[in-house]
Amino acid sequence: MKVLIVKTSSMGDVIHTFPAIEDAVRNRPDIDFDWCVEEPFAGIVALHPAIGTIHKVAVRRWRKRLLDGATWREMTGLRGALRASRHDLVIDAQGLLKSALVAIQAGAPIAGFDRASAREPSATLFYRHRYAVPRDLHAIERTRRLFGLALGYQPDLSTLRSGIVPPAGNLPGIDGQTAFLLHGTSREDKKWPVEDWIETARRLTDRQFTPVVTWSNEAEKNVAKAVASAVPGTVLVAKSPLADVAAILGRAALVIGADTGLTHLASAFGLPTVAVFLATEPGLTGPRGPFASTLLAPAGGRVTPAEVMAEAERLLALSSKAPA
């Protein structure tokens, strides 16, 4: 059986799908999986060994250039590639109208959430198979249940495995333990103040960690440079391809991150990960992993570097006791 997964974005949503793949691999070894994903996240999908062909879409870019001939050629090429792959089933794990429109390009039966469960009920008009999954569950559990219903098995929700390992590569010239500080995020109200990142980096160096920071745009570059300038010994990684950042991240001893996709990746790698949530509710979409924890700012309050470090110490102690 050949199944196409449609989960096009964002990075956190893609990572939340990996445990469902692990369930399917254990329960349905007869299935071969392909995946359709936004082009920036293709490298993340490639981290899972069970995924065969990765079909790249560029919905965000295509929307801006609908009158461009190159856009239509790309969309036609995607449709041709999906039809040529001859999938037996498509699972739309996103439940959006845009993902449903991508899914129908494969020309195969589509399974997805039912009208009461999908994020956009209109998407279900395109599905042959619709399944009820409570909306008040974490995104990981919702996706695991959807895959189980679509593929005919009961997932073991008492376990959580992502099935991914860091890609090859490392940051040369670093001695000792590294702590990756993931300060960049998409919204201003999600950002921890730069002073708190600096104080956290200082506390990490006191504990013999080497702080590591990087950036992907000018605003993040200013924060990363401020931390590196204020705390000697901090390693500043220049803007790099996502696969290179993932390789460095995957070899960190500790990760402290804002509400951002790389924080989800760290938790999926099984790293001790402290997530700092300031403006979003982590209950339904927060990082999940064996050594992942989320600190949520109280209404009108803040998360302090001291609280973050205390939680980091707890997770480090917990991971040190885990079986190898």
Side-chain angles (χ1 to χ4, degrees):
M1 185 175 184
K2 195 170 186 179
V3 174
L4 174 69
I5 301 163
V6 175
K7 191 62 154 306
T8 60
S9 62
S10 59
M11 190 191 306
D13 291 334
V14 168
I15 294 164
H16 286 159
T17 308
F18 288 144
I21 301 296
E22 283 295 284
D23 294 337
V25 167
R26 288 194 298 273
N27 288 279
R28 292 293 307 270
D30 59 307
I31 295 178
D32 294 322
F33 287 101
D34 293 341
W35 196 315
C36 201
V37 68
E38 283 279 349
E39 52 191 0
F41 308 124
I44 299 298
V45 170
L47 293 175
H48 201 291
I51 304 304
T53 302
I54 300 172
H55 299 275
K56 300 175 187 177
V57 299
V59 175
R60 297 172 181 177
R61 176 165 55 81
W62 292 341
R63 282 175 175 170
K64 299 176 182 178
R65 303 177 182 175
L66 279 178
L67 300 180
D68 192 325
T71 296
W72 287 94
R73 286 192 292 273
E74 286 185 34
M75 291 192 294
T76 301
L78 171 67
R79 180 184 176 90
L82 291 175
R83 295 290 173 112
S85 294
R86 298 184 179 277
H87 297 101
D88 299 294
L89 181 70
V90 180
I91 299 179
D92 179 1
Q94 200 145 20
L96 299 177
L97 182 58
K98 72 171 184 179
S99 58
L101 292 176
V102 170
I104 63 175
Q105 305 308 312
I110 305 171
F113 298 108
D114 71 3
R115 189 172 181 83
S117 309
R119 290 164 61 187
E120 293 182 359
S122 58
T124 66
L125 296 172
F126 299 93
Y127 302 162
R128 180 180 298 182
H129 310 288
R130 305 173 183 88
Y131 301 101
V133 179
R135 295 192 61 165
D136 60 351
L137 300 175
H138 191 280
I140 291 175
E141 185 174 342
R142 273 172 51 83
T143 307
R144 295 177 73 180
R145 291 191 181 201
L146 173 62
F147 273 56
L149 290 166
L151 301 177
Y153 61 83
Q154 180 67 41
D156 179 5
L157 299 176
S158 67
T159 64
L160 181 63
R161 301 183 183 90
S162 70
I164 63 172
V165 296
N170 204 346
L171 188 62
I174 296 181
D175 296 323
Q177 307 179 102
T178 60
F180 214 125
L181 306 183
L182 300 171
H183 57 86
T185 188
S186 58
R187 284 170 30 192
E188 287 298 319
D189 59 351
K190 292 182 179 182
K191 294 181 179 179
W192 210 28
V194 63
E195 295 81 7
D196 289 340
W197 287 112
I198 290 171
E199 176 60 22
T200 300
R202 288 190 177 120
R203 290 172 179 260
L204 287 165
T205 58
D206 290 343
R207 200 189 178 283
Q208 307 305 310
F209 278 92
T210 298
V212 178
V213 291
T214 190
W215 53 275
S216 62
N217 56 46
E218 284 301 310
E220 292 177 11
K221 183 178 181 180
N222 291 335
V223 174
K225 291 178 69 174
V227 174
S229 297
V231 185
T234 297
V235 175
L236 174 58
V237 179
K239 182 178 180 179
S240 305
L242 187 54
D244 293 346
V245 175
I248 301 167
L249 177 71
R251 285 156 183 80
L254 171 68
V255 178
I256 298 171
D259 179 6
T260 186
L262 286 172
T263 304
H264 292 281
L265 184 60
S267 65
F269 282 151
L271 302 173
T273 304
V274 182
V276 180
F277 274 55
L278 304 180
T280 45
E281 171 55 52
L284 301 181
T285 58
R288 290 284 180 90
F291 308 112
S293 179
T294 301
L295 297 180
L296 176 63
R302 60 189 289 260
V303 177
T304 68
E307 292 171 327
V308 168
M309 285 303 300
E311 187 63 9
E313 295 281 3
R314 185 185 73 82
L315 294 176
L316 287 166
L318 187 65
S319 65
S320 69
K321 297 174 184 177

